[in-house]
Amino acid sequence: MREPFHPSADSLDLVAILAALSDPTRLTILIRLAEADAAIRCGDFTDLATKSNLSYHFAKMREAGLVSLRSEGTSRFLALRRNDIERQFPGLLDQLIASAKRMEDKPLNSQSAAPTDAAESKPQRKRV
Amino acid sequence: MREPFHPSADSLDLVAILAALSDPTRLTILIRLAEADAAIRCGDFTDLATKSNLSYHFAKMREAGLVSLRSEGTSRFLALRRNDIERQFPGLLDQLIASAKRMEDKPLNSQSAAPTDAAESKPQRKRV
DNA sequence: TCCATTGTTCAATGGTTGTTGAACATATGA
DNA sequence: TCATATGTTCAACAACCATTGAACAATGGA
């Protein structure tokens, strides 16, 4: 399979990185990669979304320079580009991972104090 | 002027925060607020975008819980919600600010090594 | 060789985003 | 009171995003 384009370490763009992580599915992918501390087969994420949708999310993360993708047989493996990101933005990735974990523990369900005053709520899109 | 809605400290959502910062204009606003270490008048950002566009960006940041907005006379003041963010995501804000500063120093112009192989480039939208 | 696995690409679709100018609101000062 | 300064809201618009199912590509067995 054709190896896809990966941005060089020193062309990493913070805006792209943050955009790539401002999505619940991709944040979850990040957490799993961080906890595994190793490459993960793409197929191991199929609980998160459909195959084609995952392909889309992987591409987003790859284009942002967050992950690298390599083929092995009929499978594909996803790996965090820890060193490259650390070089450009020291400390950032660990902090993002820590915050993401903290978020998944308390998944925003704790609706503190009656929000009677028509508080705006994020749509949290899913079905189309 | 009607005081707008501000999300409570413990309803801060990481996805919203990252989305709010995945934009060059808003990252610049963040940097200025951090460097000033004080509230800044909205009018002091008019070099970044039109008035109405700034209003939009301020709202995004406010809804994400990044900043608070308060009126004073005919002016409005924008302030970083440091403490609230720190409580929910300790260390995150400082790290984001540091990364943002690091980015503005080397503003992505350093096109290292001839990218002859049709590398994809982010459109970096501006005009409409 | 044929088939099953694994993942990508494509077109379509509906929602969201960033941007603009014009109109509006609100407070201050002459 | 009337004008000025400062921001907000609105409708409109193009670009982009997340999602889907169907079709496609490539690899590794039976």
Side-chain angles (χ1 to χ4, degrees), chain A residues 103 106-113, chain B residues 6-13 81 83-85 87-89:
Chain A
M103 185 97 251
K106 181 171 55 69
L108 191 55
N109 293 348
S110 30
Q111 294 289 111
S112 64
Chain B
H6 289 79
S8 72
D10 42 44
S11 70
L12 296 192
D13 174 23
R81 292 182 61 183
N83 295 343
D84 292 337
I85 302 167
R87 177 175 302 128
Q88 294 300 301
F89 305 108

Side-chain angles (χ1 to χ4, degrees), chain B residues 69-119:
Chain B
L69 267 165
R70 59 161 223 279
S71 300
E72 197 173 312
T74 77
S75 291
R76 245 161 171 216
F77 284 83
L78 203 61
L80 252 188
R81 292 182 61 183
R82 273 201 166 279
N83 295 343
D84 292 337
I85 302 167
E86 186 67 16
R87 177 175 302 128
Q88 294 300 301
F89 305 108
L92 178 64
L93 190 55
D94 285 332
Q95 189 53 67
L96 288 170
I97 292 167
S99 299
K101 282 188 188 170
R102 184 172 278 254
M103 185 97 249
E104 81 169 353
D105 293 344
K106 180 171 57 69
L108 192 51
N109 293 350
S110 30
Q111 295 287 114
S112 63
T116 49
D117 188 41

Side-chain angles (χ1 to χ4, degrees), chain B residues 29-38 40 80 82 97 101:
Chain B
I29 293 172
L30 174 73
I31 291 177
R32 291 202 191 167
L33 285 172
E35 286 183 338
D37 196 28
I40 299 184
L80 252 188
R82 273 201 166 279
I97 292 167
K101 282 188 188 170

Side-chain angles (χ1 to χ4, degrees), chain A residues 76-93:
Chain A
R76 248 166 168 211
F77 285 83
L78 203 61
L80 253 187
R81 293 182 63 183
R82 272 201 166 281
N83 295 344
D84 292 337
I85 302 167
E86 186 67 17
R87 177 175 302 128
Q88 293 300 301
F89 306 107
L92 178 64
L93 190 56

